[in-house]
Amino acid sequence: MSMRFVSKEIHAYLDYPVAIGLMAMPSLLGLGQSHPLAFWLSVVTGIAALILTVLTDHHLGLIRILPYKLHLAVDGAVGAVFLIAPFVFGFSSLDALYYWGLGATVVLVVSLHKGETAAPGLL
């Protein structure tokens, strides 16, 4: 039995609240104490994530022009950037914990993605 259970549909439902959270959480948590970029990296990523979601070819995309595989690749890259950002930019304390936790979560969700299955007779 595969551990991969995050379908394209589940992922689509996660995208909008995650984008909003990325924009709101820096203010709510008071991020940016160790470096101003710790605040703005999340906000700018949230704006980009919202745009990416709107443009992704899935059932909640509003203008479906970007392939879902590209969306997943961008999510994976964001997770990796979030994991290394504290080291590269010198984030500490809550700033570092926020990015390490979020980065690990994003990488985990992407790694648990269940591949698309073709409809019978289309292979």
Side-chain angles (χ1 to χ4, degrees):
M1 183 171 154
S2 176
M3 289 291 293
R4 295 176 178 226
F5 62 90
V6 179
S7 67
K8 185 177 181 179
E9 290 75 26
I10 291 171
H11 189 115
Y13 284 112
L14 294 173
D15 281 339
Y16 287 103
V18 167
I20 292 166
L22 285 167
M23 291 182 274
M25 291 308 289
S27 292
L28 295 173
L29 295 174
L31 295 184
Q33 299 299 315
S34 65
H35 193 294
L37 189 57
F39 180 91
W40 291 107
L41 179 60
S42 184
V43 173
V44 170
T45 302
I47 293 166
L50 183 60
I51 293 167
L52 179 66
T53 300
V54 166
L55 298 175
T56 297
D57 184 17
H58 59 44
H59 71 288
L60 295 180
L62 302 177
I63 305 168
R64 301 173 185 177
I65 58 175
L66 298 177
Y68 179 67
K69 284 186 178 187
L70 174 63
H71 182 114
L72 280 177
V74 170
D75 283 354
V78 166
V81 167
F82 279 7
L83 287 171
I84 65 169
F87 300 108
V88 173
F89 300 114
F91 299 169
S92 61
S93 279
L94 181 59
D95 292 345
L97 292 174
Y98 174 80
Y99 284 98
W100 286 328
L102 203 52
T105 302
V106 170
V107 168
L108 179 64
V109 169
V110 170
S111 71
L112 293 175
H113 172 69
K114 180 173 70 173
E116 303 297 314
T117 54
L122 292 180
L123 294 177

